[in-house]
Amino acid sequence: MINFEYARPSDVAEAVRQVAADPRAKFIAGGTNLIDLMKKDVERPPRLIDISRLPLTSVIETPDGGLRIGALLPNTDLAYHPLVEQRYPMLSSAILAGASQQLRNMASTGGNLLQRTRCYYFYDVASPCNKREPGTGCSAVAGFNRQHAILGASEACIATHPSDMCVALAALEAKVHVVGPTGERTIAFADFHRLPGIEPQRDTSLGATEIITAIELPARGFARNYTYLKIRDRLSYAFALVSVAVGLELENGTIKEARFALGGVAHKPWRDEDAEAALRGQAASEVIFARAADLSLRNAKGLSHNAFKIDLARRAIVRALGQATRATPQSQSNKAIR
Ligand SMILES: Cc1cc2nc3c(=O)[nH]c(=O)nc-3n(C[C@H](O)[C@H](O)[C@H](O)COP(=O)(O)OP(=O)(O)OC[C@H]3O[C@@H](n4cnc5c(N)ncnc54)[C@H](O)[C@@H]3O)c2cc1C
Ligand code: SF4
């Protein structure tokens, strides 16, 4: 491990001042991703700015009926918060589908958004990787790419975003509040994570000298007709091969509002507005779910080891939409609606 300096600012303004003084410095919150990356020599920050004790752990109701969640609230506390369980159960389910209890106790809300890909080559400093070292090439394209992207990838990088929580936040249309040297700004969740393009080293639109202070949930929580379906190699403690977060609003069997986001398939949680639009105004049925799934996957491309994900995603979307329609979010059944 290389030497690094350590600082613990007492407020957000001081944290921003410290990172602005050396943008190669890194904030550390729960440390569950950053410390691993440092041990493996993937990240080499000269200075760690410990934000774990900043007072950013509150959950506050907003005037328009939503919730503002502090960026340092542990994932466990967020998942089990009574207002989140009641009004945003899709978010609770997604968080509890991730990692382990011990990790969720340490992991913070802001850190979860910024966790890095689980591409094996990214963690192996002996392998070329454009995300870790721009311009060196991508070992996964012609290598073992079973967990990699089927949507939105580029020639430079085919990595996926590993978070479960972020898939639900995408479907809920959360906002990310950040503070930087020039003040505060708010980023729509859809614009927070990036596709790799020719700059795969940049995962998000967050500036190097900005700190996440809060996540805001809008009033609409899809508390009745929702699900988070995660398909993985083991039943627990494994990242998603494919996951689907669904929120529906139904009236007499007709879909009034529909959201669904996919995890494990792209460099960011994947939403497709055309696929969601195809559900609105329609009677809920397997036929219409399959049409939405096909639309959502119309540009999917498989590689040597991950082509199976296209059919897996298609079936997962149909199943998840069925679970949400029946209000049976944990059901293992793939029973037809009609
Ligand atoms: C074995 C294992 C299994 C896992 N399984 C899953 C899983 O199945 N699903 C899943 O979703 N996740 C999984 N995780 C990932 C885990 O959820 C993340 O590691 C965690 O959410 C990161 O949060 P943290 O607070 O520990 O971040 P840290 O490690 O402290 O930081 C991560 C990054 O975020 C930056 N950062 C942190 N907070 C802020 C902030 N407020 N503002 C700006 N920058 C910030 C840091 O500088 C760093 O770059 C797993 C992790 C491990 C180790
Ligand atoms: S997929 Fe991305 S993270 Fe993985 S080796 Fe290629 S460039 Fe690196």
Side-chain angles (χ1 to χ4, degrees), residues 26-34 36 51 71 75 97-99 103 106-108 110-112 114-115 118 162-165 206 210-212 230 237-239:
K26 283 264 170 193
F27 293 128
I28 182 160
T32 60
N33 191 211
L34 184 56
D36 281 355
I51 56 172
N75 286 181
L103 283 158
M106 286 302 292
S108 66
N112 193 310
L114 295 170
Q115 61 176 292
R118 291 284 155 174
S163 170
D164 291 292
M165 185 180 91
L206 189 74
E210 287 181 313
I211 184 171
I212 300 175
K230 179 173 179 179
Y237 206 32
F239 289 93

Side-chain angles (χ1 to χ4, degrees), residues 117 119 121-122 128-132 137-140 148 156-159 200:
T117 183
C119 172
Y121 302 106
F122 175 72
C129 168
N130 286 324
K131 186 180 280 297
R132 181 172 22 79
C138 171
S139 298
H148 289 73
C157 179
I158 58 171

